[in-house]
């Protein structure tokens, strides 16, 4: 027989006392006001002095009740924000500072005030196939896109360990998104039956999948997402300018997927991934954010592109550009190769740094 010992949650013993205080204090304040009005002789008089005293008593009682209610609401709001913060951190979990010899830094800003996450998603995981990274952007922004973010990230975190090929990981993400959209369509249109005619037809997700092998070799699959930037040796440039695949959702993936081979990430080089909310941010005059110029200025002013410093520089420029009022979700993810220099120097003669002209692609 298995016996389950009932446990007592932390803080459970204080809850009855809080409830008594929450109800008792307003009751006491109200009883004092009624007792004064009925029992105090001064409250029965009609003189100016008596009226002033009576008004002062009821003003004090009303103020006390308002402050008490305000304090209770603030306490509940603080607890709700703490719980929401834990849930959001579990979904878009903080990345470790180092992953398999790569320095990592990530940050994001939600367009919804008070929300820690929105429609942008990212993750980086070390696997036996290399470090695999995802950066994505769900149509729309804010809390409405969180469920789709959860579906895509959950599938990615399982698929990167199971699938040896990057294309297979992408197909797993496509299937997970399709299941999520069907379930959402059923819940939003229950009268339409098991298969609605138009199951959230306009929903889509842009996705960038990146794999960095043990030797620094980079492989990319892009579904409608902005290309990353490579920072190193005084330059900052987009890695690839090839046509990406369509975003996940509206159209099925093609039978063969072209994996972009982008050379090696050499020691000291930094790769910056971002969502389109960064480049689409506008200032008061409608001008787009010049991400390329900001990165070029950064690499000119520094010798080593530290991931945390790169994100700080970009976000500082972004907030200045938008006057501190973002209109879309924005996310940045930077990775720098800190692996052994001797190990990569042997391949430097044959490795071509990632440029705007990718090597021939391989079909999966």
């Amino acid at each position: 027989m298995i016996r389950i010992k009932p446990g007592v949650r932390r803080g459970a013993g204080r809850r009855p006392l809080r409830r008594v205080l929450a109800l008792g204090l307003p009751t006491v304040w109200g009883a004092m006001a009624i007792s004064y009005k009925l029992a105090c002789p001064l409250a029965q008089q009609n003189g100016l002095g008596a009226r002033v005293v009576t008004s002062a008593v009821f003003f004090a009682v009303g103020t006390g009740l308002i402050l008490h209610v305000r304090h209770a609401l603030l306490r509940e709001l603080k607890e709700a924000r703490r719980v929401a913060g834990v849930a959001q951190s579990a979904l878009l979990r903080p990345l470790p500072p180092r992953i398999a010899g790569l320095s990592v830094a990530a940050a994001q800003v939600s367009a919804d005030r008070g929300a820690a996450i929105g429609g942008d998603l990212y993750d980086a995981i070390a696997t036996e196939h290399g470090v695999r990274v995802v950066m994505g952007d769900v149509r729309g922004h804010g809390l409405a896109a969180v469920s789709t973010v959860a579906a895509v990230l959950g599938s990615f975190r399982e698929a990167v360990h199971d699938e040896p090929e990057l294309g297979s990981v992408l197909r797993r993400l496509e299937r997970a998104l399709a299941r999520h959209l069907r379930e959402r369509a059923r819940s939003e249109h229950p009268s339409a039956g098991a298969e609605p005619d138009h199951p959230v037809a306009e929903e889509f997700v842009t996705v960038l999948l990146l794999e960095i092998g043990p030797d620094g070799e980079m492989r990319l699959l892009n579904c409608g997402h902005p290309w990353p930037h490579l920072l190193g040796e005084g330059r900052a440039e987009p890695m690839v300018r090839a046509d990406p695949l369509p975003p996940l959702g509206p159209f099925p993936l093609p039978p063969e997927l072209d994996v972009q081979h982008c050379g090696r990430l050499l020691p000291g080089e930094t790769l910056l991934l971002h969502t389109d909310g960064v480049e689409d941010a506008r200032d008061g005059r409608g001008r787009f954010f010049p991400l390329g110029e900001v990165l070029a200025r950064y690499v000119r002013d520094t010798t080593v592109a530290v991931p945390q410093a790169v994100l700080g520089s970009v976000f500082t420029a972004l907030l200045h550009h938008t006057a501190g009022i973002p209109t879309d979700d924005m996310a940045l993810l930077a990775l720098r190769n800190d692996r052994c220099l001797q190990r990569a120097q042997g391949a430097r003669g044959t490795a071509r740094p990632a440029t705007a002209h990718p090597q021939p692609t391989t079909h999966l």
Side-chain angles (χ1 to χ4, degrees):
M1 176 182 289
I2 300 177
R3 295 183 178 180
I4 301 177
K5 182 179 180 181
V8 179
R9 290 186 298 177
R10 183 180 179 182
R14 295 195 295 267
R15 289 187 178 180
L17 178 60
R18 288 181 179 178
R19 292 174 182 173
V20 170
L21 291 177
L23 296 176
L25 290 179
T27 303
V28 172
W29 281 92
M32 290 175 59
I34 295 174
S35 299
Y36 169 80
K37 183 63 178 177
L38 297 179
C40 181
L42 186 62
Q44 311 302 322
Q45 300 179 10
N46 294 324
L48 179 61
R51 291 180 180 178
V52 170
V53 173
T54 301
S55 299
V57 169
F58 279 94
F59 177 78
V61 171
T63 302
L65 289 175
I66 292 174
L67 292 177
H68 175 76
V69 172
R70 179 178 180 273
H71 178 72
L73 291 176
L74 288 177
R75 185 172 62 245
E76 293 296 330
L77 178 60
K78 182 179 179 181
E79 181 67 15
R81 285 181 173 176
R82 186 188 68 83
V83 174
V86 172
Q88 291 173 346
S89 297
L91 175 58
L92 199 63
R93 57 195 181 193
L95 298 180
R98 291 182 63 83
I99 300 177
L102 302 177
S103 292
V104 182
Q108 63 87 38
V109 174
S110 175
D112 282 359
R113 186 177 179 181
I117 59 177
D120 292 344
L121 60 98
Y122 59 81
D123 206 349
I125 301 176
T127 71
E128 60 180 327
H129 315 293
V131 176
R132 287 178 166 176
V133 183
V134 64
M135 174 70 79
D137 188 357
V138 177
R139 176 183 176 272
H141 60 77
L143 298 177
V146 172
S147 62
T148 305
V149 171
V152 175
L153 278 180
S155 176
F156 171 80
R157 288 165 181 167
E158 290 186 2
V160 290
H161 294 288
D162 299 337
E163 304 295 343
E165 301 295 337
L166 201 60
S168 301
V169 176
L170 184 60
R171 295 192 187 280
R172 289 272 293 269
L173 300 188
E174 180 188 39
R175 292 195 294 269
L177 177 62
R179 287 194 301 269
H180 167 73
L181 295 182
R182 286 196 299 267
E183 293 171 359
R184 214 177 94 181
R186 294 190 187 101
S187 62
E188 292 180 1
H189 307 282
S191 60
E195 293 292 339
D197 294 335
H198 301 285
V200 203
E202 297 182 354
E203 190 76 33
F204 65 86
V205 182
T206 66
V207 172
L208 178 74
L209 285 181
L210 167 68
E211 181 181 284
I212 304 177
D215 59 351
E217 182 71 24
M218 294 181 291
R219 290 172 287 275
L220 277 170
L221 274 173
N222 189 347
C223 293
H225 200 80
W227 294 103
H229 285 71
L230 181 68
L231 285 65
E233 298 181 357
R235 73 184 191 279
E237 57 186 10
M239 286 181 55
V240 185
R241 294 188 184 275
D243 293 334
L245 296 167
L248 296 182
F251 307 101
L253 290 173
E256 294 183 345
L257 300 177
D258 291 336
V259 178
Q260 302 288 340
H261 289 250
C262 304
R264 287 185 171 87
L265 185 66
L266 301 178
E269 290 183 337
T270 299
L271 200 61
L272 179 68
L273 288 69
H274 63 92
T275 56
D276 61 2
V278 176
E279 291 182 318
D280 292 346
R282 301 195 186 199
D283 61 7
R285 299 170 59 182
R287 296 175 298 184
F288 291 104
F289 178 68
L291 177 61
E293 297 178 10
V294 172
L295 294 176
R297 185 167 57 249
Y298 174 83
V299 296
R300 284 197 306 266
D301 297 339
T302 185
T303 56
V304 179
V306 180
Q308 292 84 352
V310 173
L311 299 192
S313 178
V314 173
F315 269 118
T316 299
L318 263 171
L319 293 177
H320 177 74
H321 184 78
T322 61
I325 307 175
T327 58
D328 195 4
D329 299 330
M330 298 180 292
L332 293 169
L333 173 61
L335 306 102
R336 187 184 67 186
N337 188 354
D338 288 341
R339 291 166 178 168
C340 180
L341 182 60
Q342 285 108 0
R343 194 172 150 193
Q345 278 179 338
R348 183 179 289 271
T350 58
R352 179 182 55 81
T355 65
H357 306 285
Q359 293 178 357
T361 56
T362 299
H363 298 285
L364 289 180

